[in-house]
Amino acid sequence: HIFPSTDRRHAVITPALLLLGQILAQTPAKTRYDIVVGLFCAGLMFEYTKGAKRLPPEAMAFLAGVLRLFADDVESALADGPLPSLGNAFKCSQLMDLRHVIGKLPDSDTGKARLSLE
């Protein structure tokens, strides 16, 4: 018997949410690709819980950690991070310069930087 996905327990959604939450909380992010996969998983978790008006804590913590990657001092910002998956991100050169890499990407329409953090 299949229940609506807004129910507390669902035959498909509940195991999927458990797996996505475990991926976000325990898989170490070492590259930009890992961050993209994590953002995709967080988006899926938000989509699955939207109808029930719940917020998945693993997705919120992962998004907070990704936002900390854009801090001026990434190492100290991640030191107090809520997830062990982003705890060692300051050791990865691809993630340490994420703010500068994204800031240098030009917009195809205007030729200016796509993301200004100042």
Side-chain angles (χ1 to χ4, degrees), residues 42-101:
L44 279 177
M45 288 187 81
F46 284 123
E47 188 66 32
Y48 285 162
T49 58
K50 176 174 61 173
K53 296 181 180 168
R54 292 188 300 245
L55 290 175
E58 297 92 348
M60 295 294 291
F62 184 80
L63 290 177
V66 170
L67 286 176
R68 287 185 173 140
L69 289 174
F70 288 96
D72 286 330
D73 187 11
V74 177
E75 188 171 346
S76 65
L78 289 175
D80 300 327
L83 285 180
S85 61
L86 291 171
N88 291 327
F90 63 89
K91 295 179 183 176
C92 304
S93 61
Q94 275 193 354
L95 299 180
M96 287 299 289
D97 62 349
L98 190 61
R99 176 180 181 165
H100 301 292
V101 169

Side-chain angles (χ1 to χ4, degrees), residues 3-21 45 48-49 54:
F3 301 99
S5 62
T6 57
D7 286 353
R8 189 77 175 142
R9 304 228 188 278
H10 187 274
V12 175
I13 301 297
T14 302
L17 284 173
L18 289 172
L19 177 64
L20 291 170
M45 288 187 81
Y48 285 162
T49 58
R54 292 188 300 245

